[in-house]
Amino acid sequence: MADTYDFGLVGLGVMGRNFILNVADNGFSAFGNDLDEEKVSALIKEGGDTAKVNASSDVKTFVQALTTPRKIMLLVPAGKIVDSVIEGLLPHLDEGDIIIDGGNSFYTDTDRREAYLKEKGINFFGAGVSGGAEGARKGPSIMPGGSKEAYQHVKPIFEAVSAKYKGEPCVAYLGPKSAGNYVKMVHNGIEYGLMQLTSEIYDLLKKAGGLTNDELHKTYSDWNEGRLQSFLVEITSEIFDQKDDLTDNDLVDMILDKAKQKGTGKWTSQNAMDLGIPVPTIDIAVSMREISALKDERVKADELYDRPSPKPVNKADFTSKAEQALYFAFIITYAQGMHQLADASKEYGYELELGEIAKIWRAGCIIRAAMLADITEAYQADENLQNLLLSPSFVEKVQSTVDAARELVSYGATNGIPLPGLSNALTYFDAYTSSRLPLNLIQAQRDYFGSHTYERLDRDGIFHTEWER
C-alpha cells in the first residue's frame, strides 16, 4: 500500500467524499482519512473494486500510503479542527510535503498556519472550493493561493477535477499567502448579496405582482435563459417547483423565514470596513439574515404597526422591470466584491489578477453566471480597472436597467415591502456616480466639535476654523 496514492484527503463528509471520487474519476489515485469508521467504509464501498480509491481512519496508515511530496487536502470545518488535524499529521510528514486547506478558513488563520508549517519544512496553502456537494463531485471552482512552487505539484490534479468553461479549467494560482482563502471569502460575500437580491425580487413578485409559485418557477426559468443566467437563478426556479413531502403545499411556502449563516459573509463585510471599501449590498445581506433570526420579535412588531396594502400593478410590466432591476443589482454586487479584492490585493500583497478570478468563477461555483464572462473581459481589457462601473462595457448595461431599480425601490418603500439589498445597490450606484456628496457638511461638523480639520475645494492643505457659536 505504501507510496502508491497520488492524493490524500482528510474529512470524508459529503464534500470530502465527493471531491476524492472526482479525483479518482480523473485518473489520479486518492486515499481518504476520517476518524469516523462509517465514513471510511462508505468511501471504500462507493469507490468500488478499484485501486484508485482507498481510505483509513488511522493517520499513520493514511500518510504512508501517499507518494512524496505528499499532497494532503483538508476538507474539515474551519477553526480549531484545522489546527487539530494539522497537529495529528505533523509527526508522520516529511520535509517538502504539502497540506492544502480546502475549507472556508479565515485568511489570517491561513497566514498563521503557513508561517508555522514553513518553520517545520512543510508547505501549506489555502484553496477555496466552491460548488457545493455536486460541484465537488462533478467539478468545482477552486481558488488556490500560497506557495507557487508547492502549487505546481497539485496543479495537474486541480485542473483535472475543476469545472470547465468552454474547455478551460476553473482553477488558477491566485497569489501568495492567504490569497486563495481571501478570494473565497469575498466570493461568499458576493453570494450573500446575490441571494438576498434574488429573495427580495421574489417577495415583490409574490406580494405585488401576485405571481403564483408556478408563475415564479416559469419566470425565473425564463430569466435563466437570458442575461440573468446563473446558478442561483436556476436553482431558484427549481425551488418554486418543489412539492412538500409532508403536506399538499409547495415546499417553499412551508420553510421558516429564518436564514442561517456560517460567517464568511460577515467576514467579508467586516474586512471591507477595515479596508475602507464600501460593500453595502453585502453588508445588508448579512444584516438581513440577522434580522430574519428575530422571528418572534418580528411577529410581535407586525401586530403593532399598520402596513399599506400593495397597490395593483401590471403583472407583465412589473415582471419585466423586476428582471431589469435584478440584473442591475447583480452588476452592483459583483462590482463591490471585485473592488474589495482589488484593494485587498494592494493591502496584503496578494498580486491578484481580477480578470483571472472572474474567469475561474464562470463555472463550477455558487456565484457562476453568464455575467462573469463580461466581467472577465472588462478586467482583461483594463487590468488596472478601479471599479466595474468605470468599465465602458458596463455603462450601457447599467444605464438601461437602473430606472427599473428606481421604480421598484420607490414602489417597495411606498407599499411597505422591504427591499434593503436593492435599495442599497441603488444608493451605492447613486453615491459612487455623484461628483459632489454632502460630506463637506460632515467635515465641517467634525471640525466644529472636535477640531478634526478639513480640506478645501479651492486650495491644497489642511485647515481648521474657530467656529463662532
Side-chain angles (χ1 to χ4, degrees):
M1 182 189 292
D3 296 333
T4 57
Y5 291 85
D6 304 316
F7 184 78
L9 192 143
V10 179
L12 301 180
V14 177
M15 280 288 288
R17 187 175 72 253
N18 282 334
F19 194 92
I20 204 169
L21 291 170
N22 185 358
V23 170
D25 284 346
N26 281 280
F28 299 92
S29 55
F31 202 99
N33 171 255
D34 199 291
L35 295 177
D36 188 333
E37 290 283 4
E38 289 186 10
K39 291 178 180 176
V40 168
S41 299
L43 175 64
I44 294 172
K45 183 178 180 181
E46 197 165 351
D49 185 19
T50 171
K52 290 287 184 186
V53 179
N54 207 334
S56 172
S57 60
D58 180 67
V59 175
K60 185 177 180 181
T61 301
F62 164 69
V63 173
Q64 289 182 345
L66 304 175
T67 56
T68 57
R70 298 178 179 92
K71 297 166 282 293
I72 301 173
M73 188 167 183
L74 316 184
L75 276 173
V76 299
K80 293 180 180 178
I81 294 178
V82 177
D83 294 309
S84 176
V85 171
I86 289 171
E87 290 303 322
L89 289 169
L90 273 176
H92 311 288
L93 299 180
D94 296 321
E95 189 171 334
D97 286 347
I98 303 162
I99 299 177
I100 308 141
D101 182 6
N104 286 325
S105 288
F106 192 52
Y107 70 99
T108 57
D109 286 340
T110 299
D111 289 333
R112 170 178 59 79
R113 289 166 185 145
E114 182 189 37
Y116 169 69
L117 289 168
K118 190 174 184 179
E119 293 179 353
K120 300 179 180 300
I122 305 298
N123 295 297
F124 178 84
F125 65 86
V129 179
S130 178
E134 184 177 357
R137 187 70 179 87
K138 298 179 180 178
S141 172
I142 310 176
M143 297 155 250
S147 165
K148 193 169 188 177
E149 184 180 347
Y151 174 65
Q152 299 309 309
H153 292 284
V154 187
K155 181 180 177 181
I157 298 174
F158 276 9
E159 289 190 346
V161 303
S162 68
K164 307 297 184 295
Y165 180 87
K166 296 182 178 178
E168 293 186 83
C170 289
V171 58
Y173 173 78
L174 297 179
K177 301 186 293 184
S178 53
N181 283 124
Y182 190 93
V183 169
K184 178 56 164 49
M185 178 186 79
V186 174
H187 164 287
N188 285 21
I190 294 171
E191 179 185 309
Y192 272 57
L194 301 183
M195 292 173 74
Q196 175 63 30
L197 292 163
T198 308
S199 71
E200 289 177 15
I201 295 299
Y202 146 67
D203 202 30
L204 261 182
L205 292 176
K206 194 171 184 72
K207 290 177 179 175
L211 272 69
T212 65
N213 288 335
D214 286 341
E215 290 172 319
L216 286 165
H217 163 67
K218 185 178 187 316
T219 296
Y220 276 84
S221 182
D222 289 344
W223 288 353
N224 193 52
E225 296 298 317
R227 60 185 174 179
L228 275 172
Q229 189 280 317
S230 60
F231 174 73
L232 288 172
V233 170
E234 178 186 353
I235 66 168
T236 300
S237 73
E238 293 172 358
I239 285 168
F240 292 123
D241 202 36
Q242 181 72 42
K243 297 299 179 183
D244 180 24
D245 292 337
L246 304 177
T247 68
D248 294 330
N249 301 315
D250 294 330
L251 180 57
V252 70
D253 295 329
M254 304 307 297
I255 296 175
L256 184 65
D257 55 324
K258 285 171 64 173
K260 297 180 180 179
Q261 54 183 318
K262 291 187 175 180
T264 45
K266 178 182 70 176
W267 294 344
T268 305
S269 180
Q270 289 173 331
N271 181 252
M273 290 185 185
D274 292 339
L275 293 171
I277 296 298
V279 293
T281 313
I282 296 171
D283 294 339
I284 199 64
V286 176
S287 293
M288 284 305 295
R289 294 199 187 191
E290 292 163 347
I291 291 175
S292 79
L294 306 175
K295 176 68 174 179
D296 293 341
E297 294 174 45
R298 289 190 289 116
V299 170
K300 292 175 185 176
D302 194 8
E303 295 171 353
L304 295 174
Y305 296 95
D306 294 331
R307 185 183 301 277
S309 298
K311 293 175 182 173
V313 298
N314 179 291
K315 187 182 287 189
D317 180 62
F318 199 75
T319 302
S320 174
K321 286 189 169 64
E323 186 272 345
Q324 295 173 52
L326 188 57
Y327 183 73
F328 163 81
F330 268 29
I331 292 174
I332 299 299
T333 306
Y334 281 112
Q336 292 173 13
M338 300 304 277
H339 190 190
Q340 181 170 347
L341 288 173
D343 206 73
S345 182
K346 296 173 189 172
E347 182 70 20
Y348 305 133
Y350 286 149
E351 305 166 14
L352 300 177
E353 293 182 26
L354 299 192
E356 196 71 13
I357 293 169
K359 190 176 175 183
I360 66 172
W361 284 349
R362 293 176 302 176
C365 68
I366 302 300
I367 65 170
R368 63 183 183 264
M371 187 185 299
L372 280 159
D374 298 329
I375 295 174
T376 299
E377 291 175 9
Y379 282 102
Q380 287 177 337
D382 181 2
E383 62 182 23
N384 296 314
L385 185 64
Q386 295 167 293
N387 190 301
L388 199 58
L389 293 175
L390 298 177
S391 168
S393 64
F394 271 84
V395 172
E396 192 281 328
K397 292 177 174 64
V398 172
Q399 205 82 291
S400 63
T401 53
V402 65
D403 286 345
R406 295 191 193 286
E407 191 170 328
L408 293 194
V409 167
S410 176
Y411 181 92
T414 305
N415 292 275
I417 300 175
L419 301 172
L422 186 57
S423 300
N424 273 5
L426 181 59
T427 299
Y428 172 88
F429 169 75
D430 284 335
Y432 187 80
T433 58
S434 293
S435 60
R436 181 76 169 160
L437 292 170
L439 281 295
N440 53 317
L441 178 59
I442 291 176
Q443 281 302 87
Q445 291 169 331
R446 294 179 74 246
D447 191 57
Y448 190 114
F449 67 68
S451 301
H452 293 300
T453 72
Y454 56 86
E455 295 172 90
R456 297 179 59 94
L457 289 169
D458 57 350
R459 63 200 68 194
D460 294 334
I462 304 297
F463 298 86
H464 166 64
T465 294
E466 292 297 329
W467 299 85
E468 296 181 9
R469 290 184 180 276

